[in-house]
Amino acid sequence: MNIVFKCLKTPVKKYVYDRNTNVVVTVSDVDYDELIDVEEGRLKPEESKAVKKLQDHGLLLENRVVEIAHPDTQYAEHHIENRLSQLILQVTQQCNLRCEYCVYSGGYTNRHHANRIMTVELAKKGIDYFIAHSFESNNLYLSFYGGEPLLQFELIKEVVKYINSIVEGKKVYFSMTTNATLLKGKIADYLVENDFDITISLDGSQEEHDKNRKFINGQGSFTTIMKNIKDLRERYPKYVKERIKFNTVISPKVNMACVKEFFDTDEVMSDTRILFNTVSENNSLTDIEFEDNVYIVRKYEYIKLLLMMIGKINEKYVSKLVLRSKDNIDLLIKSLSKHKEISAIMHHNGPCIAGARRLFINVDGDFYPCEKVSECKGDVCIGNIENGINIEKVKNLINIGNLTKDECLVCWNLFNCSMCAADCEVDGNLDANHKVQHCKKVKTAGLLAILEICALEEFGYALKEEKN
């Protein structure tokens, strides 16, 4: 008998996660011990009374998954032809900063700073392709990316003017990721007037930010950025609150406690939205190791978030760096409460339809699924401006489970795995060994997430009912 499940326990209760139905149930101490023996191969499932007991309730049945294949594969071509929803234009590979951890810094195998820009003609061709393949999309999203996109502000204005002149009956939403060193004066006014959603890269206090994010001459960029943010906030307070968010990247150099204190206490940062990430390890030329303070501070703040969720402390005592994690916890709780039976043909949830959800066009006119993958002509390059999107390459990226199909067939975390092509590629090509290594991290994170949910519910946490 082939059954797939995972045993887990808190100090209070014992549980088993059933992959077939994506649910977690409480079990007795005796049944838990027996299920551990089954899980570790010391006892056959058909000889276990605990297994039989759960099977009588529709759990721990024979594994239904017989093939690893993405269910959207058959719809990929239709989505590519009709449902493109977000276009990301790399308007330049130039940048006025030289951030030490940047993927263009020379510390990675896949990208480097270059004095290359996107032409107006190429940008308009990209827009034309986007519009021609988004017939069924109700809203259109256009993002500008770099390098530093505001170095090509005149190009951005041309593109915005062009897309607004040819789109009819649909709303176009604009966004940008910027280092904010040029976010001032007429540039800032233009972005506000055109309702841009802006993500600003800011890594904490001046001391922490300037350790990595420097101008080409070596000077720190913090003072320039903060002056621009203060001026923008004074002139457009509502806009800053509603349309600007900050992305802070934690690198091995920074002091995590100082970063947290800055975002929690700085007056300019009040009422702002913070995205928190660690520096990318994919395709790095060196091993990236963090100081203990990063893990200690992050874990301490996360524990406070959990305490807030069970009503033990007030939200004001929880750092903004971790507040967003509550949404992820709630999403997993919703998923585990649906009792959704797994399909015979199944794939883990990470991959989107490459190009349809996001289409990234670089300065050369090459197509990629998003800005997170390598800009290398390999598996992750899904086409170009002249030939369009290669459907077969899209289907290949959707079905990255084929890299590890034997492991996926019996993986307990298949339902909740979020791995995509960006987690599996090395220098632009999909790599099975790299995926296997990443699998270990994903399964560990998945187990911890379910344990946290069990503990939260033991302390009485429950999702609030959504209002209609």
Side-chain angles (χ1 to χ4, degrees):
M1 181 184 295
N2 176 22
I3 60 176
V4 183
F5 63 95
K6 185 66 179 175
C7 293
L8 56 154
K9 63 178 180 178
T10 69
V12 179
K13 293 181 180 180
K14 308 287 198 313
Y15 302 88
V16 62
Y17 168 78
D18 175 41
R19 189 182 80 166
N20 271 352
T21 55
N22 192 38
V23 298
V24 179
V25 294
T26 308
V27 295
S28 67
D29 291 350
V30 173
D31 286 348
Y32 179 84
D33 291 340
E34 192 171 286
L35 290 168
I36 285 288
D37 287 338
V38 174
E39 184 179 18
E40 297 179 357
R42 293 185 294 270
L43 181 65
K44 294 180 179 180
E46 56 269 27
E47 297 174 352
S48 167
K49 293 180 180 179
V51 169
K52 177 63 169 61
K53 187 185 301 182
L54 290 169
Q55 287 179 335
D56 289 342
H57 290 85
L59 302 173
L60 270 59
L61 300 177
E62 186 78 18
N63 178 23
R64 296 190 181 98
V65 183
V66 296
E67 182 182 353
I68 299 298
H70 201 289
D72 287 336
T73 305
Q74 60 183 319
Y75 308 115
E77 186 167 2
H78 180 81
H79 280 262
I80 292 299
E81 291 297 324
N82 302 283
R83 294 189 179 184
L84 301 194
S85 59
Q86 181 179 8
L87 177 66
I88 306 170
L89 295 179
Q90 184 190 56
V91 292
T92 182
Q93 290 182 347
Q94 297 173 326
C95 190
N96 57 344
L97 298 186
R98 289 298 181 267
C99 307
E100 292 190 20
Y101 59 68
C102 178
V103 292
Y104 292 92
S105 66
Y108 294 80
T109 62
N110 56 330
R111 286 171 170 167
H112 300 275
H113 284 295
N115 293 318
R116 308 180 69 192
I117 63 173
M118 179 174 283
T119 65
V120 173
E121 292 73 24
L122 176 56
K124 288 183 176 180
K125 279 186 177 181
I127 296 294
D128 290 341
Y129 184 89
F130 180 46
I131 300 302
H133 294 80
S134 58
F135 177 74
E136 295 182 8
S137 297
N138 294 325
N139 298 311
L140 303 179
Y141 299 86
L142 177 58
S143 301
F144 298 94
Y145 196 77
E148 170 47 47
L150 287 179
L151 289 171
Q152 292 300 313
F153 177 59
E154 293 303 319
L155 171 62
I156 291 171
K157 289 199 297 182
E158 283 282 329
V159 171
V160 170
K161 180 180 178 181
Y162 181 69
I163 194 171
N164 282 336
S165 71
I166 63 175
V167 171
E168 296 181 358
K170 296 182 181 182
K171 172 69 175 175
V172 182
Y173 296 88
F174 301 106
S175 64
M176 173 186 299
T177 299
T178 175
N179 61 36
T181 57
L182 302 173
L183 187 61
K184 57 186 177 180
K186 293 182 179 179
I187 292 179
D189 292 338
Y190 177 85
L191 298 180
V192 173
E193 289 166 6
N194 286 274
D195 293 325
F196 268 71
D197 285 306
I198 301 175
T199 299
I200 294 176
S201 300
L202 183 68
D203 288 353
S205 64
Q206 181 168 6
E207 180 180 359
E208 302 308 318
H209 177 92
D210 285 348
K211 286 178 180 178
N212 289 299
R213 303 188 64 82
K214 302 179 177 71
F215 286 104
I216 295 175
N217 63 9
Q219 292 183 344
S221 59
F222 179 86
T223 300
T224 300
I225 296 168
M226 289 302 292
K227 181 180 184 306
N228 291 343
I229 295 171
K230 288 177 183 177
D231 290 346
L232 191 62
R233 182 161 187 154
E234 288 176 2
R235 292 193 295 147
Y236 304 107
K238 183 179 179 182
Y239 177 84
V240 171
K241 181 178 180 179
E242 296 178 354
R243 308 304 291 273
I244 290 181
K245 58 187 175 184
F246 295 85
N247 182 46
T248 180
V249 177
I250 302 301
S251 76
K253 280 189 173 184
V254 304
N255 185 312
M256 181 69 178
C258 293
V259 173
K260 183 200 81 67
E261 182 179 5
F262 170 78
F263 283 111
D264 287 346
T265 61
D266 187 88
E267 184 177 346
V268 179
M269 291 295 109
S270 63
D271 298 324
T272 55
R273 294 174 292 161
I274 310 297
L275 306 177
F276 170 75
N277 296 288
T278 53
V279 65
S280 174
E281 298 181 47
N282 286 343
N283 297 301
S284 175
L285 290 170
T286 58
D287 292 333
I288 297 174
E289 297 182 2
F290 293 91
E291 296 291 333
D292 289 343
N293 80 84
V294 172
Y295 299 106
I296 292 171
V297 173
R298 187 177 184 180
K299 195 65 179 177
Y300 177 64
E301 293 303 321
Y302 191 74
I303 289 172
K304 289 200 293 183
L305 171 70
L306 299 180
L307 290 172
M308 178 204 79
M309 292 176 69
I310 59 174
K312 297 298 183 182
I313 63 174
N314 190 284
E315 181 178 324
K316 67 181 181 181
Y317 298 113
V318 181
S319 172
K320 288 188 288 186
L321 292 179
V322 298
L323 274 175
R324 193 168 62 117
S325 297
K326 180 181 181 299
D327 294 335
N328 297 329
I329 295 171
D330 288 345
L331 282 173
L332 182 56
I333 292 175
K334 289 180 182 178
S335 174
L336 294 174
S337 65
K338 290 181 179 178
H339 199 95
K340 181 180 179 181
E341 294 189 354
I342 205 166
S343 303
I345 300 175
M346 183 67 181
H347 195 282
H348 55 73
N349 290 324
C352 61
I353 298 179
R357 183 177 176 186
R358 293 181 178 180
L359 177 61
F360 178 79
I361 305 181
N362 73 359
V363 293
D364 296 319
D366 293 324
F367 289 1
Y368 295 91
C370 67
E371 72 281 6
K372 294 181 180 180
V373 300
S374 300
E375 290 174 52
C376 302
K377 293 206 184 259
D379 296 330
V380 296
C381 182
I382 58 174
N384 56 62
I385 197 66
E386 299 301 329
N387 302 309
I389 293 177
N390 185 317
I391 299 298
E392 293 308 311
K393 296 193 79 171
V394 169
K395 291 179 179 179
N396 188 41
L397 294 186
I398 293 175
N399 288 282
I400 57 170
N402 285 326
L403 293 172
T404 54
K405 61 182 179 181
D406 291 339
E407 291 88 344
C408 288
L409 281 169
V410 294
C411 177
W412 68 268
N413 196 44
L414 184 62
F415 242 127
N416 299 302
C417 177
S418 60
M419 292 180 66
C420 69
D423 302 311
C424 308
E425 56 102 351
V426 177
D427 295 337
N429 291 311
L430 299 178
D431 185 274
N433 291 329
H434 189 69
K435 185 172 189 284
V436 169
Q437 291 302 313
H438 199 71
C439 281
K440 297 176 182 177
K441 299 178 182 179
V442 173
K443 283 191 283 190
T444 298
L447 180 60
L448 288 173
I450 295 176
L451 278 169
E452 286 172 357
I453 288 173
C454 292
L456 285 169
E457 292 183 344
E458 288 170 7
F459 281 94
Y461 179 73
L463 289 178
K464 294 181 180 179
E465 293 186 9
E466 296 181 353
K467 295 181 180 180
N468 295 327

